């Protein structure tokens, strides 16, 4: 009988584990994700900022893996992992495994204030990106309608919490969009007067970069009109503003790019986890006492290479996914296991339409050339030829025209007459026999 490998999560780690097992003799793979699509998160901020459409950076997992006859793709949500009986409970039923790969990624952490999420959405999924796009574009529309100056100012103020790469990318994109793309489209308001405030709890933005590069990014952001508030700890977020102790910024649009924590599924199943909910893994990415269970990507806490856990980045997830796939194939052919070794190719962040910072070991550069490097790397890692082709076209068009192609406000409510429908529902329910 074939060995069954069950993979939970079709993100970067899960997908690469599956590909490494594709067409392997004597192995069947089931990959289950709660979404039907694989999402390339590093370009998600471009969807949130109306530069790209969701389909440009996502693709159905089923079609990505359709070339491998031994891989089954299912849409569903893992509810609990039962290590003792080697099975996982999903919302559609139970699946047994010989090997299990857990790659459910991470989610946002509101540091014990889950109620802030409603007022300051984070950016992890297509749904969140389109919601952020809706809020940002709707804020400009609201401001155009309003005459009262303070209210107008509130709608033209955007607060981004978290000075990591995502916060920097969002702040830079709003700054650029308001100054270049929207400036000529409005008559009553002047989008150039938009306030974009990037709030960071630490002493500087981009702590994972060198001080010199982070300083360069800060200056580039300031050129786009972004104000950077460092050493500012958010103490409250509501529908009309963000508070940092006694300081309050009135805003209709707050965005959350601060903390992350690993997906719930590892934490809730009695596996050893670190303070951020990441499952602590052995040098071969398996978990203690269960050598047939692996954890990869943002959900894994790997401390065997440097004194700190590896960061939650796309290259870590990709290399870990591939490593696990190869480990299983090699083990089944009788070879001993090896240790996972991360090959660090460097890091980069982009600021607005033509600036970026890049660090590859001791080699650091910034500006336009860094931005072109950023473009090439992101296109290279984007899944699917069609996506790569259309993203290059979109970027070329936006670069030349300063326009953004996906400036649609899509409401969440799809019914034409929501109120009427709700009333009808109430009436019908009342008439029903109990
Ligand atoms: C906005 C943003 C920008 C980023 N930018 C960069 C960047 O520029 N460079 C970089 O290197 N990294 C970047 N990252 C980080 C990088 O995207 C992640 O490190 C990487 O995606 C992690 O891969 P993963 O496979 O562990 O998790 P994910 O890619 O998050 O995949 C997890 C998958 O698991 C699924 N899932 C979760 N829970 C369940 C469940 N219970 N049942 C079934 N399925 C489940 C999810 O639907 C998802 O498809 C960025 C992340 C974000 C959010």
């Amino acid at each position: 009988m074939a060995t069954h490998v069950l993979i939970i999560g079709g993100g970067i780690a899960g997908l690469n584990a599956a590909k490494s097992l594709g067409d392997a003799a004597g192995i069947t793979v089931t990959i289950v994700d709660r979404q039907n699509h694989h999402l390339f998160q590093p370009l998600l901020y471009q969807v949130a900022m109306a530069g790209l459409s969701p389909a440009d950076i996502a693709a159905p997992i089923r079609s990505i893996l359709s070339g491998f006859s031994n891989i089954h793709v299912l849409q569903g949500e893992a509810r609990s992992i039962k290590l003792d009986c080697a099975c996982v409970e999903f919302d559609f039923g139970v699946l047994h495994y010989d090997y299990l790969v857990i790659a459910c990624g991470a989610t946002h952490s509101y540091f014990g204030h889950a109620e802030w999420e409603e007022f300051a959405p984070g950016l992890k999924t297509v749904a969140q990106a389109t919601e952020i796009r809706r809020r940002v574009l709707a804020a400009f529309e609201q401001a155009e309608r309003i005459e009262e100056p303070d209210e107008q100012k509130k709608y033209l103020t955007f607060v981004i919490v978290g000075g990591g790469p995502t916060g920097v990318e969002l702040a830079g994109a709003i700054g650029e969009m308001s100054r270049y793309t929207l400036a000529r489209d409005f008559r009553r308001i002047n989008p150039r007067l938009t306030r974009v405030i990037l709030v960071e709890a630490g002493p500087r933005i981009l702590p994972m970069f060198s001080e010199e590069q982070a300083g360069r990014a800060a200056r580039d952001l300031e050129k786009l009109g972004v104000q950077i508030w460092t050493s500012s700890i958010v103490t409250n977020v509501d529908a009309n503003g963000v508070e940092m102790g006694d300081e309050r910024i009135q805003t209709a649009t707050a965005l959350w790019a601060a903390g992350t924590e690993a997906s719930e599924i590892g934490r809730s199943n009695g596996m050893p986890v670190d303070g951020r909910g990441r499952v602590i893994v052995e040098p071969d990415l398996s978990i203690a006492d269960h050598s047939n269970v692996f954890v990869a990507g943002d959900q894994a806490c790997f401390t065997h290479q440097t004194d700190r856990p590896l960061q939650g980045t796309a290259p870590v997830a990709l290399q870990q996914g591939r490593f696990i796939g190869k480990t299983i194939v090699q083990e089944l052919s009788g070879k001993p296991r090896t240790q996972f070794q991360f090959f660090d190719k460097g890091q980069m962040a982009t600021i607005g339409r033509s600036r970026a910072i890049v660090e590859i070991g001791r080699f650091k550069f910034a500006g336009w050339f860094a931005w072109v490097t950023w473009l090439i790397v992101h296109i290279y890692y984007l899944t699917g030829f069609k996506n790569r082709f259309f993203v290059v076209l979109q970027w070329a068009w936006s670069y030349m025209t300063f326009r953004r192609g996906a400036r649609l406000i899509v409401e969440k409510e799809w019914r034409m007459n929501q109120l009427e429908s709700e009333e009808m529902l109430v009436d019908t329910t009342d008439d029903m026999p109990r």
Side-chain angles (χ1 to χ4, degrees), residues 72-135:
H72 304 263
V73 180
L74 294 174
Q75 185 176 1
E77 181 165 294
R79 293 275 162 84
S80 75
I81 298 166
K82 307 235 180 311
L83 295 174
D84 297 341
C85 73
C87 66
V88 179
E89 210 174 83
F90 291 91
D91 50 0
F92 56 80
V94 173
L95 292 180
H96 290 262
Y97 60 81
D98 297 307
Y99 286 95
L100 176 66
V101 183
I102 307 168
C104 295
T107 178
H108 291 103
S109 165
Y110 286 82
F111 309 115
H113 292 278
E115 71 277 9
W116 294 351
E117 184 173 19
E118 188 187 342
F119 312 115
L123 184 61
K124 278 273 172 207
T125 64
V126 167
Q128 287 166 340
T130 48
E131 173 61 9
I132 289 175
R133 181 180 72 185
R134 188 188 70 76
R135 289 187 188 203

Side-chain angles (χ1 to χ4, degrees), residues 139 142-143 146-157 195 240 249-252:
Q142 278 279 30
I146 289 168
E147 284 185 10
E148 211 275 301
D150 281 346
E151 268 296 282
Q152 199 179 59
K153 194 172 163 194
K154 184 180 91 180
Y155 280 101
L156 287 178
T157 299
R195 286 173 82 206
N240 294 306
I249 310 171
Q250 287 291 104
T251 178

Side-chain angles (χ1 to χ4, degrees), residues 8-14 32-35 41-42 44 76-78 103-105 123-124 166 263 296-298 312-315 317 378:
I8 319 174
I12 294 176
V32 188
D33 197 297
R34 55 157 78 119
Q35 312 284 354
Q41 290 172 352
L44 199 52
E77 181 165 294
C104 295
L123 184 61
K124 278 273 172 207
T166 302
S263 287
D298 284 3
T313 65
H378 282 74

